[in-house]
């Protein structure tokens, strides 16, 4: 997550990630030269999953997101903005969705949440093809 002068919503955004029911992740937050209380807010956290990278100059969202990708150690990337809030089961749902072929059947009534979750990214083309085949069976007309 990159943040620039995000003090207004930063606590809520960070807390929503650190309070995920799925606990095995690294959370990289890049302070892109903020001149508000962003630095103080970020450094008030004491969580081994949180890795803060502070910069004095602002290079912009794209540059900092690419930096975050370069610094990441995980197998998957989940992205959000500093003014977003993730539901507590976001990561669990995404992981279950990725690995459980029966997930769509068991979660049919909740499929709207999955459709709106723009952070779910697939790099496995075959999995994406199978997912799209499964999604065709649902009626999204009422969304």
């Amino acid at each position: 997550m990159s943040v620039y002068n995000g003090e207004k919503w930063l606590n809520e955004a960070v807390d929503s990630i650190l309070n995920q029911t799925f606990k095995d992740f690294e959370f990289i937050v890049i302070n892109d030269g903020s001149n508000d209380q962003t630095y103080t807010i970020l450094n008030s956290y004491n969580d081994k999953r949180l890795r803060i990278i502070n910069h004095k100059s602002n290079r912009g969202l794209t540059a900092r997101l690419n930096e975050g990708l370069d610094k990441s150690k995980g197998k998957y990337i989940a992205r959000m903005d500093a003014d977003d809030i993730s539901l507590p089961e976001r990561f669990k749902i995404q992981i279950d969705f990725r690995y459980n072929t029966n997930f769509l059947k068991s979660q049919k009534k909740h499929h709207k949440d999955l459709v709106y979750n723009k952070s779910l990214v697939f790099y496995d083309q075959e999995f994406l093809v199978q997912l799209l085949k499964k999604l065709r069976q649902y009626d999204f007309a009422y969304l």
Side-chain angles (χ1 to χ4, degrees):
M1 179 172 81
S2 178
V3 57
Y4 176 71
N5 290 340
E7 68 182 1
K8 184 174 182 181
W9 302 109
L10 189 55
N11 279 115
E12 289 84 355
V14 171
D15 289 346
S16 76
I17 295 298
L18 295 178
N19 291 322
Q20 291 292 303
T21 57
F22 181 86
K23 303 288 185 190
D24 184 19
F25 61 87
E26 76 175 324
F27 184 23
I28 300 172
V29 180
I30 301 175
N31 179 6
D32 190 17
S34 298
N35 54 28
D36 63 357
Q37 293 299 306
T38 295
Y39 177 89
T40 303
I41 292 167
L42 289 174
N43 288 289
S44 71
Y45 286 91
N46 183 22
D47 190 303
K48 65 181 182 172
R49 299 169 298 172
L50 180 61
R51 196 162 59 147
I52 301 165
I53 302 169
N54 286 300
H55 291 288
K56 294 184 188 258
S57 64
N58 179 273
R59 290 189 50 216
L61 181 63
T62 303
R64 297 306 185 196
L65 292 178
N66 284 327
E67 178 184 352
L69 287 172
D70 290 341
K71 305 273 185 190
S72 67
K73 298 174 187 168
K75 184 175 182 180
Y76 301 107
I77 304 294
R79 193 189 104 54
M80 69 179 267
D81 292 317
D83 60 352
D84 289 347
I85 297 173
S86 289
L87 295 174
E89 292 193 346
R90 172 189 168 188
F91 290 170
K92 181 185 181 309
I93 289 171
Q94 288 176 314
I95 294 296
D96 287 349
F97 190 66
R98 170 63 178 95
Y99 287 105
N100 184 352
T101 57
N102 294 318
F103 184 77
L104 284 175
K105 292 177 186 173
S106 68
Q107 296 293 316
K108 184 174 180 182
K109 67 181 179 178
H110 299 293
H111 70 275
K112 291 186 289 186
D113 294 334
L114 296 172
V115 171
Y116 283 107
N117 192 336
K118 296 178 185 174
S119 297
L120 190 59
V121 178
F122 302 100
Y123 294 99
D124 180 342
Q125 185 176 8
E126 180 58 30
F127 177 77
L128 183 57
V129 168
Q130 295 303 316
L131 171 65
L132 292 173
K133 286 179 182 177
K134 288 182 184 295
L135 287 175
R136 286 185 190 144
Q137 69 185 336
Y138 298 109
D139 178 14
F140 293 103
Y142 65 91
L143 295 178

